[in-house]
Every structure is written in C-alpha cells, then in structure tokens.
Amino acid sequence: MPSEKTRTMPSSTGRVKAATTALWKVRDTSRRTWTTRLVVIGIVLSALNLRPAITSLGALLEEVRAGLGMSGAVAGLLTSMPSLCFAVFGVTAPGWPAASGPPR
C-alpha cells in the first residue's frame, strides 16, 4: 500500500481546460450578441437620419430647379435616384460576402 506521502491526487487539468473553454465560448457568444445589437442599432439610426434627406427633396424641388437651372426631365431623374439606388442595392446586397457573415 502506498504511503500518504507518495499518494497523488488525480489531475484536474482536464476539468480546468473544459471550464476555461466553456467560459470563452460564453464570452464569444456574449460579445457576438452585443456586436449584432450595436450593428442593428446603428443601421436603424442611420436610416432615421437619412430619411429626411431623401424625402424632403420633393418639397423643395421648385427651388432646386430654379437655383440650378434644371429641366423637368433632370428634376424627375433627380427625384427618382433614391428609389433606383434602393432597388439596385437591395437586390445586390444579399450576394455581397459581408452579408453572409464571417468565414468559418
């Protein structure tokens, strides 16, 4: 029978590694959640900030046309540009690499 001095405790290194790994997974998930929330909040605030710039042109169109000397066709093209940009970028955005998330 081994004496008290030579008896060793079972190694707890495996449990420590598992606990550390679990803790880092929780931190990564928490960080990813906060990052996602901040990005969504940023997009919403940007949308609210840009909305007046896009929608107010129609109310000021006569002053803009007179000030810049535009024809009716150019003024019509100017007011349709936001809608055209929304359509083009809305269709092409899902295919962009950044839209699919980080590579795994």
Side-chain angles (χ1 to χ4, degrees), residues 51-71:
R51 183 172 300 276
I54 293 169
T55 58
S56 64
L57 182 61
L60 301 173
L61 191 58
E62 288 302 318
E63 289 84 8
V64 171
R65 277 185 64 189
L68 297 176
M70 286 191 232
S71 66

Side-chain angles (χ1 to χ4, degrees), residues 45-57 86:
L45 290 176
S46 296
L48 291 174
N49 188 31
L50 293 173
R51 183 172 300 276
I54 293 169
T55 58
S56 64
L57 182 61
F86 285 141

Side-chain angles (χ1 to χ4, degrees), residues 4-79:
E4 295 270 335
K5 292 181 181 177
T6 60
R7 189 181 319 164
T8 59
M9 296 293 290
S11 174
S12 62
T13 306
R15 284 184 280 172
V16 171
K17 284 183 180 179
T20 304
T21 303
L23 180 62
W24 280 108
K25 285 182 182 177
V26 169
R27 286 184 181 171
D28 285 344
T29 303
S30 176
R31 187 175 296 148
R32 196 174 308 145
T33 302
W34 278 106
T35 302
T36 303
R37 288 178 183 170
L38 287 175
V39 167
V40 169
I41 289 170
I43 290 172
V44 169
L45 290 176
S46 296
L48 291 174
N49 188 31
L50 293 173
R51 183 172 300 276
I54 293 169
T55 58
S56 64
L57 182 61
L60 301 173
L61 191 58
E62 288 302 318
E63 289 84 8
V64 171
R65 277 185 64 189
L68 297 176
M70 286 191 232
S71 66
V74 173
L77 181 64
L78 181 65
T79 57

Side-chain angles (χ1 to χ4, degrees), residues 85-97 99:
C85 288
F86 285 141
V88 169
F89 291 119
V91 170
T92 60
W96 294 350

